[in-house]
Amino acid sequence: MPIARIATGIEGLDRMTGGGFVERSANLVEGAPGTGKTTLGLQFLVRGIEERGEAGLYITFEEFPAQLYADAQRMGWDLERYEAEGKLRILFTTPTDLLAGMEDMDGSIEQVIEELSIRRVVVDSLSHFEFLTDDPFQLRDIEFRLVSAFKREGCTSVFLRENGNILGDTNSQSRSPFVVDSFIILRYVELDSAVSKAMLVLKMRGSSHATDIRRYRIAQGGIVVEEKFLGQEGILGGAPRKSRADAFVEAFGKKR
Ligand SMILES: Nc1ncnc2c1ncn2[C@@H]1O[C@H](COP(=O)(O)OP(=O)(O)OP(=O)(O)O)[C@@H](O)[C@H]1O
Ligand SMILES: [Mg+2]
């Protein structure tokens, strides 16, 4: 039986993943500040609403609701309208309150999910749970509980996570990539004295995916995934160099 997919609706990403996220899966999107994590999360929900009629839940620990609405408005997304129409719920909460609301089976989160028939959930961001404990095993247990709760409710979830490294390797001690079904990295890349953004699908449990690193940009309407970084090596390190073949051509002219 083919694996059921939830198209993200994000141009290019669905192609890279062979049709989108696996239904009822938990997906981690990690990136440095400003790489477009919030944009990707909102886009996943907005496209679900617009193109599939699937309701979404956005859980955020940021303190300024007005900022989120304004940022979305700049993208062309009227979140308040979706909320009024019962297609979207934005929950401004704290990690502690969220966990408490998930403890009992009849918790407030489950109520929201059932009330609106939520199919897509975004948590912005997983990083906030790291403040709750210094114990990596306890953190992994918390993350596992989150991931499981949304799966149990039949939702496909996207967990955003901050990565403090602006350029360069992920260098993360976190175990959360092990808890989720897919892992996407957003990354700044310095190329010809300018900064580009790169996207990579590092893992997708149970299915094949593109392993190349794609350039993407943020525009009105959200993230647009573009072509591969041709002729470049070392993209993941943040400071790519020309591949040997291209450097050869540059130095010695066209290969004969
Ligand atoms: N309409 C737009 N057109 C082009 N770029 C935009 C537009 N609106 C926002 N951006 C860019 O999107 C980026 C912010 O994206 P977003 O808030 O999704 O990032 P983030 O990874 O969630 O950041 P943070 O780590 O601060 O939460 C900014 O760099 C901004 O320049
Ligand atoms: Mg953000």
Side-chain angles (χ1 to χ4, degrees):
M1 209 174 70
I3 300 174
R5 299 281 180 165
I6 293 273
T8 64
I10 295 165
E11 256 166 83
L13 181 58
D14 286 335
R15 270 199 307 279
M16 288 173 85
T17 54
F21 295 135
V22 172
E23 196 171 27
R24 279 179 174 237
S25 64
N27 307 278
L28 180 65
V29 176
E30 181 177 293
T35 45
K37 301 179 294 296
T38 298
T39 304
L40 189 150
L42 286 173
Q43 194 172 352
F44 171 64
L45 298 187
V46 167
R47 295 286 164 89
I49 294 166
E50 293 276 327
E51 292 166 13
R52 319 290 286 227
E54 295 176 356
L57 170 64
Y58 196 87
I59 300 170
T60 174
F61 309 123
E62 301 296 336
E63 286 163 54
F64 304 107
Q67 187 69 46
L68 183 72
Y69 289 101
D71 287 351
Q73 200 76 55
R74 274 211 312 276
M75 286 288 157
W77 303 324
D78 188 350
L79 302 184
E80 277 164 312
R81 179 168 63 85
Y82 294 134
E83 285 191 291
E85 291 170 356
K87 297 170 181 164
L88 175 71
R89 179 68 58 87
I90 300 181
L91 206 59
F92 295 91
T93 182
T94 66
T96 316
D97 286 351
L98 178 65
L99 289 175
M102 292 173 58
E103 281 309 297
D104 44 334
M105 284 303 285
D106 238 5
S108 49
I109 301 296
E110 275 88 349
Q111 270 178 27
V112 171
I113 289 175
E114 278 156 30
E115 194 184 312
L116 298 189
S117 305
I118 301 282
R119 298 290 310 282
R120 302 179 181 220
V121 177
V122 175
V123 177
D124 190 357
S125 73
L126 204 55
S127 314
H128 288 74
F129 291 93
E130 287 162 21
F131 299 117
L132 294 183
T133 173
D134 286 331
D135 179 356
F137 294 101
Q138 202 177 357
L139 181 61
R140 189 167 168 161
D141 179 59
I142 289 173
E143 292 174 341
F144 186 73
R145 268 158 53 206
L146 279 170
V147 162
S148 316
F150 295 127
K151 284 188 181 182
R152 203 169 48 231
E153 293 294 320
C155 300
T156 304
S157 56
V158 173
F159 293 87
L160 308 177
R161 196 174 65 184
E162 286 149 27
N163 185 314
N165 293 350
I166 303 294
L167 285 163
D169 285 328
T170 307
N171 200 19
S172 165
Q173 299 300 314
S174 166
R175 312 284 296 167
S176 33
F178 297 98
V179 177
V180 293
D181 302 292
S182 91
F183 185 21
I184 295 173
I185 288 190
L186 307 179
R187 170 65 53 88
Y188 288 115
V189 175
E190 186 192 345
L191 210 59
D192 298 330
S193 307
V195 174
S196 304
K197 298 191 189 78
M199 179 183 292
L200 169 69
V201 181
L202 261 191
K203 141 175 169 175
M204 185 150 271
R205 201 173 274 166
S207 61
S208 63
H209 58 85
T211 50
D212 43 42
I213 300 164
R214 302 287 173 101
R215 192 191 292 270
Y216 71 93
R217 60 189 166 84
I218 304 174
Q220 176 143 41
I223 284 177
V224 183
V225 183
E226 298 174 322
E227 75 283 12
K228 294 189 219 183
F229 285 88
L230 280 179
Q232 302 288 338
E233 289 172 349
I235 299 280
L236 277 188
R241 57 204 172 273
K242 287 201 164 59
S243 66
R244 258 182 252 164
D246 281 37
F248 183 92
V249 172
E250 190 161 281
F252 300 105
K254 211 169 171 9
K255 273 179 285 186
R256 267 180 271 265

